[in-house]
Amino acid sequence: MTHATHPLRNGGQILIQQLRRHGARRVFLVPGESYLPCIDALNEHRDAIDPIVCRQESGAAYMAEAYGKLTNEPGICFVTRGPGATNASIGVHTAFQDSTPMILFIGQVGNDFIEREAFQEIDYRRMFGPMTKWVAQIDDPARIPEYIARAYAVATSGRPGPVVLALPEDTLWGEASVADVEPRPRLHSHPSRAQLDELGQRLEQAERPFLLLGGSGWTEQAQHQVAAFAERFALPVGVAWRRLECFDQRHEAFVGHVGNGMHDALRERLEACDLLIAVGTRLGEATSEGYSWIESPTPRQALVHVYPDPEELGHVYRPSQAINADVVGFAGALEALSPATPPPWQAETQAARRAYLATLEPQEAPGPLSLDRVSQTVDRVLDGKGCISVGAGNYALYAHRYVRFSGLGSSLAPTVGSMGYGLPAAISSKLEHPKRPAVCYAGDGCFQMNLQELGVALQYRLGIVVLVFNNGMWGTIRAHQEHDFPGREIALTFTNPAFATLIQAYGGQGEIVEDDATFEDAFRRALSFAERERLPALIELRYDADGIAPGQRLSAIREAALSHPASPTPGAQQP
């Protein structure tokens, strides 16, 4: 409905004003003529909204997704139609599987050209439907406030996720006199008193409980409340696959990162536990190691599944107790639970903690440069400060194993396992927390998928540090290849540029490290340069490619496969 008392504005002005009303502080974009009125309207909000001009739409979408992880508010991304939208789709898919609030705005052909396969035209409802919470097209400028308000509500409610809104040119150039819609307070779902009583009874009857945390939407208060709950009940705490920021790993209750690459003692503990309390996590394929240590549809363990989306409860696993609550609401309610007597499993929790600490000792590695010791040094030098981002590849396993992440904002890792994520995520972290270190772990292949975003670090003077793990091949796939087709390596190697020289073109500092003795000094120099000059620093790590993962060698994988031939594993995925 239009009202003559409201100023006449074009669609771009209405949209950007509505974003400001909802608290948007930063938008990530690759400019396109299809949404020029939105770009122009940013002029009126220079004091409130910071436009970050990216170099490619996948980088922009990744930055927006990382912003959503860091703030629990929708990351805002603008891209042009057609090629821009397809490039950005990888960030949307990441936001969907990672349950991250995000809104992607896409320019669209005018309604007078629609359904003619006009220049760069795509039906975005069909394209994005399976990987978003909501896809829509705004055909009337007077309804823009309504759509934006709904987009924020959908992206942040229940299980958070991405929303895609298409913006036809006639909508953005058209005018309307319409009122803005005020944002609504964030709603949280809570467990009932009866559900808390049942959970308390299950804890009283348990002998080997385990608390597993994951998902999105965590706040510092919620993490403190869950930590206090774990302390009262002496519970061992693990974090789900690539949800390393969900719990302070220096806490005495923390016993490990659950999922691909976890240590044997932790897997055995999970298989043997008689009460699994899973909070905020879907218990997906990577966390469950292919639905192995916890079986679908009926787990061996008594499963208390706490999740904000009721459709997820019972979707893969039949829980013994299902609690429809988000992590904030559930964490706050836990203050009502305390054990009547000291929990009998305290010694088991302490043993699990010792087993985790033992995994922090570096594994044997080939060659003069040990990636185990590299990550051990990173952990010691950072001492719980800053953020480490990763993309996909076996190199990420070193950070996951040896770095003790300190809670919210300390880790940015795509659970979807998408490559090229680490650099844009580090940039987003540095924009949000300019005084905190931002360290990007990147494989040599992963880094080259989005290295153009170094231009953003240069333009906005962002002192990030990039560790490039150079083994000259697609290492994760090579490990799968040696397992399934031993001794038949082909099509997995590549020739790299001089990374340490390349960074200089972006105003940065670069070094090459080839042995353990020189890494710490190089890392400290990189951190110092990045902080002092507010420009990127890069360390190229050249290491023996036989060291493919902590404690594992490609040659050993090949030998084992040749000794015990197995059927090929279909569908090998990026870790």
Side-chain angles (χ1 to χ4, degrees):
M1 180 181 297
T2 59
H3 299 273
T5 56
H6 299 295
L8 191 66
R9 298 171 292 173
N10 69 35
Q13 292 171 319
I14 297 170
L15 192 153
I16 299 300
Q17 176 64 43
Q18 194 64 34
L19 289 181
R20 179 170 182 166
R21 291 266 183 169
H22 278 75
R25 295 180 288 107
R26 189 172 298 123
V27 298
F28 302 92
L29 70 150
V30 175
E33 75 278 10
S34 62
Y35 67 95
L36 272 175
C38 296
I39 298 174
D40 177 74
L42 289 168
N43 280 296
E44 303 163 16
H45 303 276
R46 291 175 180 264
D47 61 326
I49 300 177
D50 189 15
I52 304 300
V53 181
C54 303
R55 304 309 187 259
Q56 208 257 19
E57 291 86 0
S58 66
Y62 275 148
M63 290 181 207
E65 195 277 344
Y67 177 94
K69 278 193 173 87
L70 290 164
T71 66
N72 289 331
E73 296 294 330
I76 305 299
C77 184
F78 280 85
V79 299
T80 197
R81 60 187 181 236
T86 52
N87 283 340
S89 64
I90 190 170
V92 175
H93 187 213
T94 300
F96 183 71
Q97 288 219 334
D98 285 41
S99 305
T100 305
M102 175 181 174
I103 304 174
L104 175 68
F105 293 98
I106 306 172
Q108 176 62 300
V109 301
N111 279 293
D112 52 343
F113 288 176
I114 208 77
E115 296 290 349
R116 293 178 175 176
E117 197 185 342
F119 181 62
Q120 298 181 337
E121 179 186 353
I122 292 178
D123 183 341
Y124 298 114
R125 291 184 179 91
R126 294 172 63 189
M127 174 179 170
F128 286 103
M131 56 177 164
T132 57
K133 292 188 70 178
W134 180 43
V135 187
Q137 180 167 299
I138 311 178
D139 292 325
D140 181 355
R143 295 189 65 186
I144 290 175
E146 170 197 342
Y147 275 80
I148 302 303
R150 179 177 171 186
Y152 267 81
V154 171
T156 58
S157 63
R159 175 187 172 184
V163 168
V164 171
L165 292 178
L167 308 171
E169 288 188 6
D170 51 321
T171 298
L172 295 181
W173 287 94
E175 295 182 326
S177 55
V178 61
D180 294 316
V181 175
E182 297 300 321
R184 72 170 194 183
R186 181 73 59 85
L187 300 177
H188 295 289
S189 48
H190 305 263
S192 68
R193 180 70 248 186
Q195 289 175 320
L196 287 173
D197 289 344
E198 181 180 345
L199 176 59
Q201 293 170 4
R202 291 183 180 278
L203 282 164
E204 287 181 8
Q205 299 166 3
E207 296 180 0
R208 299 175 302 279
F210 193 96
L211 177 60
L212 178 60
L213 309 177
S216 59
W218 289 92
T219 63
E220 288 189 6
Q221 182 181 16
Q223 290 193 345
H224 289 316
Q225 290 166 331
V226 168
F229 169 70
E231 290 167 7
R232 292 194 301 273
F233 283 89
L235 292 170
V237 180
V239 291
W241 168 248
R242 292 194 160 200
R243 291 298 189 180
L244 300 133
E245 73 282 2
C246 288
F247 196 77
D248 189 339
Q249 297 173 19
R250 298 165 298 179
H251 193 286
E252 288 299 313
F254 183 75
V255 300
H257 178 208
V258 176
N260 293 339
M262 65 177 163
H263 61 278
D264 292 339
L266 179 56
R267 183 181 302 104
E268 292 169 4
R269 187 170 300 278
L270 289 163
E271 290 175 340
C273 80
D274 61 353
L275 176 63
L276 176 65
I277 306 171
V279 181
T281 175
R282 293 188 300 115
L283 290 170
E285 177 187 349
T287 298
S288 65
E289 290 193 325
Y291 312 101
S292 60
W293 63 262
I294 179 169
E295 296 176 355
S296 172
T298 306
R300 298 185 302 274
Q301 307 90 334
L303 171 63
V304 176
H305 199 178
V306 182
Y307 203 74
D309 183 356
E311 292 186 4
E312 184 65 31
L313 298 170
H315 178 64
V316 177
Y317 304 98
R318 295 182 62 85
S320 304
Q321 182 183 6
I323 299 178
N324 180 207
D326 67 11
V327 294
V328 171
F330 181 73
L334 288 175
E335 294 180 340
L337 291 180
S338 294
T341 58
W345 52 76
Q346 292 187 30
E348 285 295 314
T349 298
Q350 293 167 358
R353 174 67 177 177
R354 290 193 297 272
Y356 160 69
L357 293 176
T359 67
L360 301 181
E361 291 299 317
Q363 300 287 296
E364 181 182 353
L369 180 63
S370 164
L371 301 188
D372 305 72
R373 296 188 184 280
V374 163
S375 287
Q376 194 180 50
T377 300
V378 169
D379 177 58
R380 177 167 47 80
V381 171
L382 290 182
D383 192 25
K385 302 178 182 66
C387 176
I388 292 178
S389 62
V390 303
N394 276 17
Y395 68 88
L397 297 174
Y398 293 91
H400 294 172
R401 178 168 183 139
Y402 295 108
V403 176
R404 293 168 296 171
F405 293 90
S406 58
L408 287 181
S410 62
S411 170
L412 287 171
T415 68
V416 71
S418 52
M419 300 185 75
Y421 180 88
L423 178 61
I427 288 171
S428 195
S429 176
K430 197 65 176 178
L431 284 165
E432 188 65 19
H433 301 291
K435 294 184 178 180
R436 293 171 50 184
V439 179
C440 166
Y441 271 53
D444 46 358
C446 190
F447 178 59
Q448 292 182 81
M449 288 194 173
N450 266 321
L451 68 81
Q452 75 282 343
E453 302 307 327
L454 285 171
V456 178
L458 169 63
Q459 180 173 348
Y460 297 95
R461 299 298 295 262
L462 303 174
I464 62 173
V465 175
V466 182
L467 304 181
V468 177
F469 293 75
N470 184 357
N471 62 2
M473 64 180 178
W474 300 107
T476 300
I477 311 308
R478 174 69 183 278
H480 284 293
Q481 191 178 61
E482 290 291 2
H483 179 271
D484 295 334
F485 301 99
R488 293 176 58 80
E489 184 275 323
I490 190 171
L492 295 183
T493 60
F494 44 78
T495 301
N496 282 318
F499 293 113
T501 303
L502 177 66
I503 192 70
Q504 296 174 16
Y506 291 93
Q509 170 183 286
E511 293 192 47
I512 297 171
V513 169
E514 299 181 281
D515 58 71
D516 294 338
T518 57
F519 174 72
E520 181 170 346
D521 287 345
F523 186 54
R524 290 185 182 276
R525 283 193 296 270
L527 289 169
S528 177
F529 173 88
E531 180 179 2
R532 182 180 68 252
E533 303 296 332
R534 293 188 298 123
L535 286 167
L538 181 149
I539 300 175
E540 178 185 339
L541 302 170
R542 295 180 178 175
Y543 61 100
D544 189 332
D546 195 36
I548 197 62
Q552 295 185 21
R553 300 194 184 194
L554 280 174
S555 55
I557 295 174
R558 175 185 291 189
E559 291 170 7
L562 290 172
S563 300
H564 302 88
S567 299
T569 303
Q573 298 176 8
Q574 300 172 21

